[in-house]
């Protein structure tokens, strides 16, 4: 291995990073000065980053620099501090895996994740997992809301092979972030797409009906059919970061399509006369649940937004 090289971070543990370069994976540390550049992130280096690495005097490799990111998925750090936590960078798509029961994914979580994807230019799709366990009416209602907003919604029951081929086709040739709450079947899905991958899976805790964490650190896996997936630890909450209230509606695609019909150019879509968005909600053209999510995020006291 040469003394200096560039590569892609494919695993991040917080202390060590695995960087892929020319088919080889090299274990690297992060140079101390990268932590001292005024970054607010709890994880300055993330899976998907393109980095420059070099050998130190002891022969170990260190990450010396990070290339500018073309996009990323970010949330507020779980301790609700002003720090951010970047889930992954430089992705072609995010696939949000949700379940309507066993366990239940909160609509608020779904909408926050999608807002962040819109804000940071990450195309997103939704996968309804464990479809064999879901109520058909609830599935139909969910699809109506999110397909109406403009998102592609897929269904799968990975252990039975249901929907796996459609997901495999969606992921082919792309770098896809697979995210969701614990227990929704992310790792099971990835293993079903490519059985050669060594990814742990777990069961649902009967006492709390919540998923057990089986993915400890984020990691990128190459797919046999081309492309790669980034498997991530289960996410509990999704605090938004740096989303300006005046621009929030820009990140709801259905509102973006409707807002040009508003009477006022600076309409907040809350109380103004002649608001096309409010009228579309009244007519059922925009799902009331999505509009309620918009209002809830807009009205928060700063807990999730700076």
């Amino acid at each position: 291995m040469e003394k200096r090289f560039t590569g892609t971070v494919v695993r991040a543990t917080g202390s060590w990073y695995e960087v892929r370069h020319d088919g080889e994976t090299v274990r690297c540390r992060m140079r101390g000065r990268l932590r001292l550049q005024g970054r607010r992130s709890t994880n300055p280096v993330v899976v998907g980053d393109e980095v420059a690495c070099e050998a130190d005097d002891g022969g170990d490799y260190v990450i010396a620099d990070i290339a500018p990111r073309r996009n990323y998925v970010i949330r507020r750090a779980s301790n609700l501090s002003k720090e951010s936590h970047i889930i992954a960078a430089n992705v072609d798509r995010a696939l949000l895996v949700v379940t309507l029961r066993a366990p239940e994914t909160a609509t608020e979580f779904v909408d926050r994740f999608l807002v962040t994807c819109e804000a940071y230019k990450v195309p997103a799709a939704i996968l309804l997992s464990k479809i064999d366990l879901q109520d058909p009416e609830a599935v139909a209602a969910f699809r109506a809301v999110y397909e109406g907003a403009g998102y592609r919604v897929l269904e799968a029951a990975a252990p039975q092979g249901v929907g796996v081929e459609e997901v495999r086709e969606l992921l082919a040739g792309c770098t896809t972030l697979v995210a969701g709450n614990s227990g929704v079947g992310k790792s099971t899905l990835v293993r079903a797409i490519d059985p050669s991958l060594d990814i742990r899976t777990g069961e649902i805790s009967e006492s709390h009906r919540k998923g057990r964490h089986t993915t400890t650190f984020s990691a990128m896996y190459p797919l046999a059919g081309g492309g790669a997936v980034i498997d991530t630890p289960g996410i509990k909450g999704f605090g938004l970061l740096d989303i300006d209230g005046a621009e929030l509606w820009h990140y709801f695609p259905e509102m973006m399509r409707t807002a040009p019909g508003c009477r006022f150019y600076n309409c907040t879509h809350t109380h103004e006369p002649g608001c096309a968005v409010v009228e579309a909600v009244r007519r059922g053209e925009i799902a009331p649940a999505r509009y309620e999510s918009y209002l809830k995020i807009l009205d928060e006291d700063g807990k999730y937004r700076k």
Side-chain angles (χ1 to χ4, degrees):
M1 180 66 67
E2 57 263 45
K3 188 173 178 62
R4 184 176 176 88
F5 66 91
T6 59
T8 303
V9 177
V10 296
R11 184 183 295 270
T13 69
S15 300
W16 288 89
Y17 303 86
E18 293 180 11
V19 179
R20 185 176 295 145
H21 166 74
D22 284 348
E24 293 187 55
T25 300
V26 183
R27 199 162 180 253
C28 303
R29 292 180 293 104
M30 184 170 63
R31 175 164 285 172
R33 68 177 178 82
L34 288 180
R35 299 181 183 274
L36 304 174
Q37 295 179 348
R39 298 174 188 266
R40 296 187 306 153
S41 176
T42 59
N43 54 341
V45 178
V46 302
V47 172
D49 272 335
E50 298 297 325
V51 296
C53 306
E54 58 187 29
D56 62 14
D57 294 338
D60 292 328
Y61 282 94
V62 296
I63 295 173
D65 200 11
I66 308 168
R69 296 162 175 148
R70 60 183 171 91
N71 64 19
Y72 47 87
V73 177
I74 188 172
R75 66 185 179 107
R76 185 172 292 280
S78 57
N79 61 6
L80 298 182
S81 70
K82 292 184 178 181
E83 291 186 314
S84 65
H85 180 83
I86 299 175
I87 299 173
N90 303 319
V91 298
D92 298 312
R93 176 184 294 107
L95 181 63
L96 179 62
V97 182
V98 306
T99 45
L100 305 182
R101 59 177 299 275
E104 178 184 358
T105 302
T107 300
E108 180 180 352
F109 175 88
V110 176
D111 291 334
R112 289 177 178 279
F113 185 91
L114 295 176
V115 162
T116 294
C117 287
E118 295 289 342
Y120 291 93
K121 311 299 183 186
V122 177
I126 304 171
L127 174 70
L128 278 169
S129 183
K130 304 183 182 180
I131 198 64
D132 55 319
L133 303 179
Q134 310 306 314
D135 175 69
E137 291 186 5
V139 168
F142 183 93
R143 293 189 70 114
V145 169
Y146 289 98
E147 289 178 338
Y151 294 100
R152 183 175 177 182
V153 180
L154 299 85
E155 300 176 10
Q160 294 77 29
V162 176
V164 171
E165 185 57 36
E166 185 179 8
V167 179
R168 187 180 289 123
E169 292 175 0
L170 177 72
L171 271 52
C174 301
T175 298
T176 303
L177 166 66
V178 180
N181 296 153
S182 295
V184 296
K186 300 184 303 297
S187 297
T188 301
L189 173 72
V190 174
R191 283 190 63 182
I193 292 167
D194 189 341
S196 69
L197 298 178
D198 182 19
I199 300 176
R200 289 190 303 149
T201 60
E203 302 295 332
I204 296 294
S205 165
E206 289 296 332
S207 59
H208 297 95
R209 302 304 301 167
K210 296 180 180 179
R212 297 171 180 162
H213 290 278
T214 54
T215 300
T216 307
F217 302 108
S218 296
M220 181 187 297
Y221 299 93
L223 294 173
V229 292
I230 299 174
D231 192 27
T232 60
I235 305 169
K236 290 184 179 180
F238 207 93
L240 299 180
L241 191 78
D242 295 339
I243 303 293
D244 184 84
E247 296 180 353
L248 177 62
W249 62 270
H250 295 184
Y251 310 130
F252 284 77
E254 63 272 52
M255 295 178 67
M256 275 289 285
R257 294 192 297 267
T258 307
C262 292
R263 182 182 303 175
F264 301 107
Y265 77 93
N266 59 346
C267 185
T268 65
H269 317 300
T270 57
H271 64 279
E272 295 88 348
C275 175
V277 169
V278 171
E279 181 61 21
V281 175
R282 188 188 66 79
R283 293 195 302 264
E285 296 169 2
I286 291 178
R290 287 275 289 170
Y291 183 66
E292 287 299 321
S293 283
Y294 166 73
L295 294 178
K296 186 171 183 179
I297 296 170
L298 191 67
D299 291 343
E300 282 178 342
D301 61 2
K303 182 180 179 182
Y304 292 106
R305 285 192 292 116
K306 180 180 177 182

